[in-house]
Amino acid sequence: MRTIPAFDWKIRAFHWSLVAIVFLNQFVLETGAWHNRIGYAACALIGARLLLGESSRFKSRGYAMNAVIGLMVALVLFLGVTGWMLSWDRYFGEEWLEELHENVSWVLI
């Protein structure tokens, strides 16, 4: 019996790319230029995913699952924004923003 995947290849590629980026930024590239670049790539992936729209064979998921997905997407975008803000002259070296960025990354994990 042949199984039909719940998600097409684009959604699976998006998901596993985002997993790899989060893992790399959290545990391997804790700071530096590559940390920044792939953090921005995570935001770009989410933007591309939003443009793709619904590509699931399961069109209706439970509200709890949609809430969790929405929270995770919001956390990744929040990390992208706070990371970007840390590159601004106004916020460079601000300890409270660095701590917020780090704490939100642990919430995502």
Side-chain angles (χ1 to χ4, degrees), residues 1-2 6 9-10 14 24-25 28 31 34 38 50 64 66-67 72-73 79-80 96 101-102 107:
M1 173 181 252
R2 188 179 155 225
W9 69 269
K10 292 176 287 197
F14 160 78
L24 282 171
N25 263 0
V28 179
T31 59
W34 281 104
I38 68 170
L50 293 172
N66 287 336
M72 290 173 61
V73 165
L79 286 168
W96 68 269
H101 184 76
E102 183 176 351
V107 170

Side-chain angles (χ1 to χ4, degrees), residues 7-68:
F7 300 98
D8 66 15
W9 69 269
K10 292 176 287 197
I11 300 305
R12 288 188 305 237
F14 160 78
H15 175 259
W16 289 109
S17 297
L18 196 56
V19 168
I21 286 171
V22 168
F23 178 83
L24 282 171
N25 263 0
Q26 186 68 22
F27 299 112
V28 179
L29 305 169
E30 294 179 15
T31 59
W34 281 104
H35 175 90
N36 298 348
R37 288 179 188 133
I38 68 170
Y40 297 144
C43 293
L45 274 173
I46 289 174
R49 172 65 179 97
L50 293 172
L51 290 175
L52 286 175
E54 185 66 45
S55 294
S56 168
R57 301 233 193 286
F58 301 122
K59 296 295 183 193
S60 90
R61 291 185 286 272
Y63 290 114
M65 181 59 100
N66 287 336
V68 170

Side-chain angles (χ1 to χ4, degrees), residues 53-95:
E54 185 66 45
S55 294
S56 168
R57 301 233 193 286
F58 301 122
K59 296 295 183 193
S60 90
R61 291 185 286 272
Y63 290 114
M65 181 59 100
N66 287 336
V68 170
I69 292 169
L71 176 63
M72 290 173 61
V73 165
L75 289 172
V76 170
L77 292 175
F78 186 81
L79 286 168
V81 169
T82 57
W84 179 50
M85 287 173 65
L86 284 166
S87 71
W88 300 355
D89 287 340
R90 180 176 180 175
Y91 296 110
F92 184 79
E94 286 287 339
E95 190 172 319

